[in-house]
Amino acid sequence: MSRFPKPCLACNKLTTGGSYCDAHQAIVDQKERVRQNNRKRGRTLYDSTYYRKARAYLRATATHCHLCKQPFTDRKDITADHIEAGNPLSPLAPAHSLCNSRRGNKPLT
């Protein structure tokens, strides 16, 4: 049973099999292998050295929540909130854990 040719998602070259041409399929496979290896090791996007240092700095220097503007009463209640929700590479700002969880993945308004 043959498949109809469809364009590669990266370069629009017609392929006979999957969603990518042979050159781009190799890149996709390599990225997937790296992702799976990191998953096996227990690494996540929030396990990088940069994130841990930025979070520690925020917890040490924060005075007010950027969402509700109230001061922190308990140092354990401070969390690092991403300015752009859902983007692990966006800048961080201090927030109460309750404020951060209520905001969820919604953008700042």
Side-chain angles (χ1 to χ4, degrees), residues 67-79:
L67 295 171
C68 70
K69 310 296 187 228
Q70 297 297 315
F72 293 110
T73 56
D74 185 8
R75 303 306 295 174
K76 294 178 183 177
D77 191 34
I78 301 172
T79 60

Side-chain angles (χ1 to χ4, degrees), residues 47-64:
D47 194 31
S48 69
T49 304
Y50 165 76
Y51 179 78
R52 283 185 275 127
K53 286 182 179 180
R55 183 182 60 199
Y57 177 77
L58 271 181
R59 291 185 82 173
T61 60
T63 57
H64 290 77

Side-chain angles (χ1 to χ4, degrees), residues 2-58:
S2 66
R3 292 182 153 181
F4 291 107
K6 56 184 180 179
C8 171
L9 294 176
C11 66
N12 290 330
K13 178 181 171 184
L14 289 179
T15 65
T16 56
S19 299
Y20 295 96
C21 63
D22 293 337
H24 289 105
Q25 186 63 46
I27 295 168
V28 170
D29 290 343
Q30 175 61 26
K31 286 182 181 179
E32 181 61 20
R33 277 192 296 275
V34 168
R35 190 181 75 78
Q36 290 295 332
N37 284 338
N38 285 340
R39 225 175 121 209
K40 286 178 186 175
R41 293 182 189 136
R43 294 182 183 158
T44 64
L45 292 173
Y46 302 110
D47 194 31
S48 69
T49 304
Y50 165 76
Y51 179 78
R52 283 185 275 127
K53 286 182 179 180
R55 183 182 60 199
Y57 177 77
L58 271 181

Side-chain angles (χ1 to χ4, degrees), residues 46 82 84-91 105:
Y46 302 110
H82 290 91
E84 295 175 33
N87 181 1
L89 302 177
S90 74
N105 216 10

